[in-house]
Amino acid sequence: MGRDGVPVTAAEVVAVAAVELTDASSWWHDIDDSPAWQNRIFYTLAVLYGIVATVALVQLVRIQLRVPEYGWTTQKVFHFLNFLVNGVRCLVFIFFRNVQRLKPEIVQHILLDMPSLAFFTTYALLVLFWAEIYYQARAVSTDGLKPSFYTINIMVYVVQITLWLILWWKPISALLILSKMFFAGVSLFAALGFLLYGGRLFLMLQRFPVESKGRRKKLQEVGYVTTICFFCFLVRCIMMCFNAFDKNADLDVLDHPILNFIYYLWVEILPSSLVLFILRKLPPKRDNAITYMVTKPQSSTSSVLFQTTTVMAICCSAEWSLAYTKCCRTTHHVHAFIPTCHFPSLYTVSASNPRFFHVNFSASPTPILEEEPSNTPIIRVDVNFADVQEYSKPGTENLNEFLCGLFEDPKTKELAFDYYQRLKERPEFRPEKSTFKHVIRYLMRLKKWDFILSVSEDFKVYHVLPDRATCSRLVKFCIEHGKFRIAEVLLDAFKSDSKVAFLAFSSAMRSYNKLHMFRSTVLVFERMKCTSVVLDSRGYLHIMEACSKLNECEKVVQLFHEFESRELRGSARYLAQIYGILCESLGRCGRAFEALDYFREMAKKGISEHSIYSTLIYSFASLRKVDVAEELLREAKSKTMISDPEVYLKLVLMYVEEGLLEKTLEVVKAMEDADVKVSDCVLCTVVNGFSKKRGFSAAVKVFEDLISQGYEPGQVTYASVINAYWRLGQYSKAEKVFLEMDQKGFDKCVYAYSSMIVMYGRTGRVRCAMRLMAKMKERGCKPNVWIYNSLIDMHGRDKNLKQVEKLWKEMKRRKVAPDKVTYTSIIGAYSKAGEFETSVKLFNEYRMNGGLIDRAMAGIMVSVYSRKKTGNTRWKLKQNRIRIIMGVPDLVALALQAFHRRQKTIAYFFHKTGILNTLPLT
C-alpha cells in the first residue's frame, strides 16, 4: 500500500472485497432515520395487507355465491375477520403519520393493538374447529366448547379495554408494560391452543392405518396450519415481551420501520397468506349427490374400505365441526353428519340443518335403510362391490403375482402396499424380487422413508434382494435426499450378495462425490474392504476421485497400481478417466514430472484423453517450467483446443513472474484463436504485470493496444488503469475511463472510487471528491478505509477540522477500522490547526490499539510535543518508548533545525536519548 492509502499491488487489488466487509450494520440506523425509507417500508406493509384483505374478501364472496342458502357459517366468519383485520391494518399504515400525531397517545396503541385482538379471535376459530372434531371423534360432548370460546374472547377484550381506559385516564408506564405483557400472554395461550388441539387431531388422524389421498391431504392441512399458527403466536409473544421492556424494540413508533416490517410480516402477513392458501378449497354445490353401491365381500377388503369410510366420517365436517360420529363394527354401520362434498377441506354446512349419512355394509343387494326423524334430511348411500371376485383373496402361490398386478395399476398402488403390509404377518408369504422391486418404486415415489427402513429389514428377514439396478438406484435416491442413515442400513443389508453389493457401494461413492462429501466416500470404501466386497472399475474411479479432492496423492497412486494389477474386465471404458484423476492429483501436489510420465505411458497404450493437457500445462506453469509448459501447449494445439480459461491465466501469471511480458500478449492471442473468451482476470493480470515490471506508462500503452484490438475489459481492469492514469498525471483520461466504466454498469468498484477520490484530492478538487463519495453511497457501495484516509488527508491540508471530525465519526459509526495512515492523517490535521491536545489524545488512542510508529508519525509527534507548552511534555516520547524509524539525513536535519530555532524541548530530547551520538556523522 502506498503512503496515501491506495493499493498498488495485485494482491491488494484482490483484497478489496475482503476490506469492504468491514462495514457493519450501520445501514439499519440510516434507514430508520430516513423519512424516505420510512415511507417505502410502511407503504409496502399497507400494500401487502391490502392484498391479503382482498384475497379474503374474494374468497368470502365466492363461498357466498357457491352456497347462498346458508347464513354466517364458521368459514364465512373466518374469512370476514381476515378481511377486517388486514383491511384495518392497511388503512393504519397508509395514514401512519397521521396516526402517530393522534392525541392522547393511548389512541395510537388502540389503533395498533385492536386488529391484533381481532387476529387472535380469527385464529381462535380454528382452535375451536379442531377441538370439536377431536372430542366428537372420541364421543365426548362438545356442548361447552363454544361457550368457553365466547367467554375467553370476552374476557380478553374486557381486560384489554379496561387497561386502555385506565391509561387514557392516567398514563402510567407500568400499566403500558402490563398491557403489552397481557397481550403477550394471550398470544402464548393461543400458541398452546394450536399445539394442543392441532397436535391431538394430527396424531388421531395419523393412527388410521389406511393410506389414502384424502387422509394425506387432511394430515398435511392440519400439520401445516398448526405449525404456522403456533410459531406465529409464539413469535408474537416473544416480540411483545421485548416491546414491553426494551425501547429499541418499540413497535409503536416511526423510528423503527425495519423492525415493524419484520414483525408484521412474520406474525400476520405471512401466516394469513399461507393459511388462506392452504384452506383455499371451496365447498361444493348443494345439489351434488353421493351414491355408492357396495356389497360386503368375504375378504379383508371390506375392513379396509370400512376403515376408509371411518376416516372420511371423522375428517369431513359440517360448518367446520363434526356434530355426531358413531361407528359400529359389529353391524358395519357408519353414522356421521357430513356435507355433500369431496374429502377434505373447509366446508360450509349449517349445524342447524345437518345431513345424515348412513352407510350399510350388507351382503344383500338392497340394504335396508333405517327410518330417521322427519326433521333430518337423509342421504342414502348404498355401497356395493360389483366385482367381488377381482379382489377376493388369492391363493398363497399367487400372492406375489397378485401384488405385482395391483402395483402395476396406478389406482391400486396404495391398496397393494397395504396388502403387502398385511401379508407379511402370514407365515406362508415370501416376497419375490419382483415384489420388492414394485414396493421400492412405490416408496421412492412417495418418499416414505420410515417404510423404506422397514423394507430394508424385510431384506434380511426373507433373504431376498431386488435386482442390482433397483438396489443401486435406491441407495443413490436416499443419499441424494440426505437420508444417509437409511443408506448405511441399506448397504448393510446388501452386503450379503456380492453381485448386488459392489454395484450398490459404487453407487453410494458416486452419490457422495456429487455432494462433495469425499470423506463419506472414503468411509464407504473402508467399509467395503471390511466386508470383503470387491471393487469394480467404477468403484476405483470414484474412490480415486475422492482421494484426489482430499489431496491424498499417495493414496491415489496406490489405488491406481492396485487397479492396474487386478486387470478388471471392462476397465477400458474408465481407464482414461482414471489416468486423468491420477495426473491431476500428481500435478496438484507438485509432482508434475511424474504426471507427465504417466501421461506418456497412457499414450503408448493407445488411450486418448486430451483434457489431461490442461492439467499438465497448469501444473508446469505453477512450477514456472516455461519450456515444458510451452512444449505441452504446442503439442496440445496440434491435437485439440485448450478451452480451460484457468490454464491461460496460469500461463499469463507464469510469464509475468518470469518477466516475459510480451508472451502474455501471445497467450491472449492464443485464447482468441481457441475461441475462449478473454476474461477480465486475464486482461487485469496482463496490465498489472506491465505496471509491476515496466511501470505505469507501459501498462497504459498495453491497455490501449488491447482495447484497440476489440477486447472487453471488466471492472478490475478498469480500476487498475484508472490508478495508472492518475499516477501518470493524466487526469482527464482517468475521468474518461471512469465514466466509461460507469456507463457499462461497473458502478460498485471500491478500488476505482478510491483512485478517483485520491486523484481529486491531489488536484485540490475536494468538492468533486465529496460528491463522488455521496454518489458512491447512493449506489449502495460502502466506502472503505482508503477512501476515508484520502478525504481526511485532503480536508486536513485545508484545516477543515469540522469535516475531518465528521468523517472520523462516520468511520466509527460505520465501524470502519482506522489504520496507521488514518491516524497519521488525522493527527497531522489537528497538529496543523494547532489542536495539540486532540493530537496527543489521538496518538495515545493509536498506541493503546497497538499501533507502531513509523517515520511520518514520529516526525508529526515530535513537532506536536515541541510546540505543546507543558512542563512534562519533554518526557512524553521517552515514556511512550517511541522508536523513531527515521533515515540519517532526516534525523540530522530535524536536529539541526531544532538547535537553530532554539527549540529546547527537541534539543533536550536528542541530547537525553543520545541518538545523535550513534549517528555515523562525518
Side-chain angles (χ1 to χ4, degrees):
M1 183 185 294
R3 183 173 176 177
D4 52 7
V6 179
V8 295
T9 65
E12 290 170 342
V13 174
V14 177
V16 169
V19 175
E20 287 185 83
L21 296 177
T22 60
D23 195 358
S25 61
S26 61
W27 60 270
W28 183 290
H29 301 289
D30 293 343
I31 293 176
D32 281 350
D33 298 337
S34 171
W37 275 106
Q38 289 176 5
N39 290 337
R40 292 171 189 168
I41 290 175
F42 286 118
Y43 289 151
T44 301
L45 282 173
V47 170
L48 294 175
Y49 273 114
I51 293 172
V52 178
T54 304
V55 171
L57 181 61
V58 169
Q59 192 73 349
L60 176 62
V61 173
R62 292 177 67 197
I63 294 171
Q64 178 61 26
L65 294 176
R66 178 65 67 92
V67 282
E69 61 272 16
Y70 299 116
W72 281 98
T73 62
T74 307
Q75 188 181 19
K76 292 180 182 178
V77 173
F78 175 78
H79 287 294
F80 175 75
L81 288 177
N82 261 302
F83 163 70
L84 188 65
V85 170
N86 291 282
V88 172
R89 286 284 192 212
C90 177
L91 294 175
V92 168
F93 285 119
I94 289 175
F95 303 104
F96 69 96
R97 295 199 181 275
N98 297 328
V99 170
Q100 286 289 328
R101 289 194 289 268
L102 290 175
K103 297 297 179 183
E105 188 178 348
I106 190 61
V107 179
Q108 302 174 21
H109 294 291
I110 293 174
L111 284 175
L112 288 170
D113 290 343
M114 183 59 78
S116 299
L117 291 177
F119 186 85
F120 163 76
T121 302
T122 303
Y123 286 87
L125 283 172
L126 289 178
V127 179
L128 174 65
F129 161 59
W130 286 339
E132 287 180 338
I133 287 183
Y134 177 76
Y135 286 125
Q136 289 169 357
R138 297 177 65 89
V140 177
S141 175
T142 61
D143 294 339
L145 286 178
K146 283 191 176 180
S148 300
F149 170 78
Y150 295 135
T151 303
I152 291 172
N153 276 272
I154 291 171
M155 288 177 59
V156 168
Y157 280 86
V158 168
V159 172
Q160 186 64 65
I161 292 173
T162 303
L163 289 172
W164 285 336
L165 291 175
I166 296 174
L167 285 169
W168 194 336
W169 171 62
K170 188 175 182 180
I172 302 173
S173 59
L175 277 179
L176 183 60
I177 294 175
L178 180 62
S179 173
K180 293 180 178 179
M181 290 304 298
F182 172 74
F183 193 74
V186 170
S187 300
L188 181 61
F189 178 75
L192 294 177
F194 273 103
L195 189 63
L196 177 64
Y197 289 106
R200 283 180 173 182
L201 183 60
F202 183 85
L203 294 175
M204 184 184 70
L205 292 175
Q206 200 175 36
R207 282 196 293 268
F208 282 96
V210 179
E211 285 291 327
S212 66
K213 183 178 179 182
R215 173 182 174 274
R216 288 198 309 272
K217 287 177 64 179
K218 192 64 182 178
L219 274 175
Q220 291 173 357
E221 177 183 307
V222 173
Y224 289 155
V225 175
T226 299
T227 304
I228 291 167
C229 294
F230 171 73
F231 282 107
C232 155
F233 283 100
L234 184 63
V235 171
R236 183 188 287 272
C237 172
I238 295 171
M239 286 299 297
M240 288 305 296
C241 292
F242 280 107
N243 183 15
F245 297 103
D246 189 354
K247 290 294 184 183
N248 292 325
D250 194 353
L251 297 166
D252 300 340
V253 296
L254 284 175
D255 296 335
H256 300 152
I258 302 178
L259 186 62
N260 275 275
F261 182 80
I262 295 172
Y263 172 75
Y264 287 111
L265 182 68
W266 280 99
V267 303
E268 288 189 7
I269 296 173
L270 277 179
S272 298
S273 304
L274 292 173
V275 171
L276 287 173
F277 176 76
I278 294 170
L279 307 180
R280 66 191 182 278
K281 188 174 181 181
L282 293 176
K285 295 182 179 179
R286 184 177 179 181
D287 56 356
N288 288 352
I290 305 177
T291 303
Y292 299 94
M293 297 297 297
V294 177
T295 300
K296 177 185 174 183
Q298 300 300 319
S299 70
S300 61
T301 308
S302 62
S303 63
V304 175
L305 293 176
F306 173 77
Q307 292 164 354
T308 305
T309 309
T310 305
V311 175
M312 292 181 65
I314 291 177
C315 294
C316 297
S317 62
E319 197 187 337
W320 282 14
S321 63
L322 283 176
Y324 177 64
T325 303
K326 180 179 178 182
C327 300
C328 180
R329 284 184 177 271
T330 57
T331 61
H332 298 286
H333 290 264
V334 179
H335 304 273
F337 288 115
I338 65 170
T340 56
C341 59
H342 297 288
F343 166 90
S345 183
L346 301 178
Y347 307 106
T348 56
V349 181
S350 175
S352 62
N353 187 24
R355 297 188 173 191
F356 189 80
F357 176 65
H358 180 192
V359 179
N360 180 18
F361 287 98
S362 174
S364 62
T366 309
I368 300 174
L369 297 179
E370 299 175 356
E371 185 70 16
E372 301 298 332
S374 59
N375 59 346
T376 304
I378 300 175
I379 300 178
R380 300 173 181 265
V381 183
D382 296 333
V383 185
N384 179 34
F385 288 90
D387 301 320
V388 177
Q389 298 301 323
E390 180 181 353
Y391 294 101
S392 62
K393 183 174 69 175
T396 55
E397 68 279 1
N398 296 324
L399 288 175
N400 284 285
E401 184 180 350
F402 172 72
L403 285 177
C404 292
L406 290 178
F407 273 116
E408 288 172 358
D409 187 354
K411 297 180 180 179
T412 57
K413 282 186 177 181
E414 294 180 6
L415 184 63
F417 183 71
D418 183 66
Y419 268 132
Y420 169 76
Q421 293 286 83
R422 295 173 180 275
L423 287 172
K424 286 196 301 182
E425 301 173 1
R426 299 172 60 174
E428 69 273 14
F429 174 68
R430 180 180 176 81
E432 297 177 351
K433 286 188 175 184
S434 57
T435 304
F436 273 135
K437 179 179 179 180
H438 285 294
V439 169
I440 289 173
R441 285 183 175 180
Y442 170 75
L443 296 177
M444 286 171 62
R445 181 174 63 85
L446 297 180
K447 298 180 182 178
K448 297 281 189 178
W449 305 112
D450 292 338
F451 287 118
I452 290 175
L453 200 59
S454 173
V455 171
S456 67
E457 295 300 323
D458 295 343
F459 296 156
K460 299 178 182 178
V461 172
Y462 295 107
H463 302 289
V464 177
L465 296 177
D467 58 276
R468 291 187 299 173
T470 302
C471 294
S472 173
R473 190 159 51 247
L474 178 59
V475 172
K476 176 186 175 184
F477 181 79
C478 292
I479 294 175
E480 286 178 348
H481 288 80
K483 304 299 178 180
F484 308 121
R485 185 177 65 86
I486 298 177
E488 292 176 4
V489 173
L490 289 170
L491 290 175
D492 186 61
F494 295 153
K495 68 183 181 183
S496 59
D497 189 335
S498 59
K499 293 183 179 180
V500 172
F502 82 86
L503 194 60
F505 276 91
S506 178
S507 177
M509 289 191 289
R510 180 186 180 188
S511 301
Y512 280 125
N513 283 350
K514 283 187 175 181
L515 297 176
H516 296 261
M517 298 174 64
F518 303 113
R519 293 289 178 191
S520 298
T521 303
V522 175
L523 291 176
V524 171
F525 171 70
E526 296 295 336
R527 183 177 178 183
M528 194 174 180
K529 290 198 325 185
C530 293
T531 55
S532 302
V533 177
V534 181
L535 272 176
D536 63 346
S537 302
R538 279 181 292 183
Y540 277 107
L541 174 66
H542 301 322
I543 184 60
M544 287 178 65
E545 179 186 359
C547 293
S548 175
K549 296 297 183 181
L550 295 172
N551 292 324
E552 297 179 0
C553 183
E554 288 296 336
K555 184 71 174 176
V556 173
V557 175
Q558 177 186 344
L559 288 168
F560 175 76
H561 289 308
E562 181 182 329
F563 167 75
E564 272 196 324
S565 63
R566 291 189 54 195
E567 297 181 356
L568 295 171
R569 184 176 59 184
S571 62
R573 57 184 296 192
Y574 302 106
L575 197 56
Q577 299 178 55
I578 289 175
Y579 266 108
I581 292 172
L582 175 64
C583 294
E584 180 183 356
S585 180
L586 289 170
R588 192 184 296 118
C589 295
R591 298 162 63 176
F593 286 100
E594 290 184 51
L596 183 59
D597 292 339
Y598 280 111
F599 178 66
R600 300 302 183 195
E601 176 186 326
M602 170 184 166
K604 290 179 182 178
K605 292 180 180 180
I607 303 170
S608 176
E609 183 61 36
H610 298 314
S611 62
I612 300 180
Y613 277 112
S614 298
T615 302
L616 293 173
I617 295 171
Y618 189 93
S619 303
F620 281 107
S622 301
L623 297 175
R624 299 185 188 175
K625 301 295 182 181
V626 179
D627 296 337
V628 182
E630 288 180 342
E631 179 184 352
L632 286 170
L633 183 62
R634 287 191 295 269
E635 185 178 335
K637 284 183 178 179
S638 64
K639 296 180 180 180
T640 184
M641 303 298 290
I642 303 295
S643 58
D644 188 356
E646 290 189 7
V647 174
Y648 293 104
L649 178 61
K650 203 67 179 179
L651 287 171
V652 171
L653 288 171
M654 177 187 72
Y655 287 132
V656 168
E657 294 297 331
E658 294 296 321
L660 305 172
L661 299 180
E662 280 73 17
K663 290 196 174 183
T664 61
L665 301 177
E666 295 178 8
V667 174
V668 174
K669 180 63 176 173
M671 292 181 70
E672 185 180 5
D673 295 339
D675 200 21
V676 178
K677 183 180 178 181
V678 181
S679 64
D680 184 41
C681 291
V682 173
L683 292 177
C684 177
T685 306
V686 172
V687 172
N688 284 337
F690 275 89
S691 175
K692 181 180 178 181
K693 297 292 184 179
R694 298 184 184 177
F696 294 112
S697 299
V700 167
K701 185 177 183 305
V702 74
F703 170 77
E704 292 173 350
D705 291 342
L706 290 171
I707 294 300
S708 64
Q709 295 174 26
Y711 296 108
E712 287 289 334
Q715 177 173 285
V716 184
T717 306
Y718 273 124
S720 301
V721 171
I722 290 171
N723 180 56
Y725 273 129
W726 82 258
R727 288 181 179 276
L728 292 172
Q730 300 179 16
Y731 305 127
S732 60
K733 288 188 176 181
E735 288 183 304
K736 181 180 178 182
V737 172
F738 182 78
L739 181 62
E740 179 183 338
M741 176 182 177
D742 185 62
Q743 290 173 349
K744 288 187 177 181
F746 305 123
D747 56 353
K748 293 186 179 180
C749 180
V750 178
Y751 183 59
Y753 281 111
S754 175
S755 298
M756 291 300 298
I757 288 173
V758 172
M759 184 190 78
Y760 286 140
R762 291 294 179 86
T763 56
R765 299 162 64 181
V766 180
R767 291 186 178 180
C768 293
M770 294 300 293
R771 280 199 298 267
L772 186 58
M773 183 180 181
K775 185 178 181 181
M776 175 184 181
K777 291 179 183 177
E778 183 182 346
R779 292 178 174 177
C781 190
K782 302 174 183 178
N784 61 9
V785 68
W786 302 333
I787 293 176
Y788 283 112
N789 290 347
S790 303
L791 293 171
I792 289 173
D793 181 65
M794 65 178 72
H795 286 298
R797 288 200 300 268
D798 292 343
K799 298 182 181 181
N800 188 353
L801 295 185
K802 182 178 179 181
Q803 195 64 39
V804 169
E805 184 178 359
K806 181 180 177 182
L807 290 167
W808 178 251
K809 289 181 178 179
E810 183 179 329
M811 281 187 72
K812 290 193 172 182
R813 181 167 59 83
R814 290 179 173 269
K815 297 183 180 179
V816 178
D819 58 6
K820 180 171 62 178
V821 177
T822 312
Y823 277 104
T824 303
S825 301
I826 195 169
I827 291 172
Y830 280 106
S831 173
K832 289 177 184 178
E835 298 285 343
F836 304 122
E837 293 291 345
T838 307
S839 298
V840 173
K841 180 181 177 182
L842 289 169
F843 175 72
N844 291 333
E845 177 185 325
Y846 174 66
R847 292 293 292 158
M848 288 178 63
N849 293 333
L852 300 177
I853 310 301
D854 62 357
R855 182 170 55 189
M857 180 68 79
I860 293 172
M861 291 312 300
V862 168
S863 176
V864 168
Y865 284 127
S866 68
R867 298 161 66 183
K868 188 171 178 291
K869 298 180 180 180
T870 59
N872 198 29
T873 54
R874 65 184 65 185
W875 300 109
K876 288 289 184 180
L877 298 178
K878 186 175 181 180
Q879 288 174 354
N880 287 318
R881 298 179 181 178
I882 297 177
R883 298 181 179 275
I884 302 180
I885 309 170
M886 301 180 69
V888 173
D890 294 334
L891 189 56
V892 173
L894 181 61
L896 292 177
Q897 185 180 18
F899 284 115
H900 177 69
R901 295 182 179 179
R902 298 182 180 181
Q903 294 176 343
K904 295 182 180 180
T905 304
I906 302 179
Y908 189 71
F909 166 73
F910 281 115
H911 172 69
K912 290 296 291 181
T913 54
I915 291 177
L916 292 178
N917 298 331
T918 63
L919 296 178
L921 301 176
T922 57

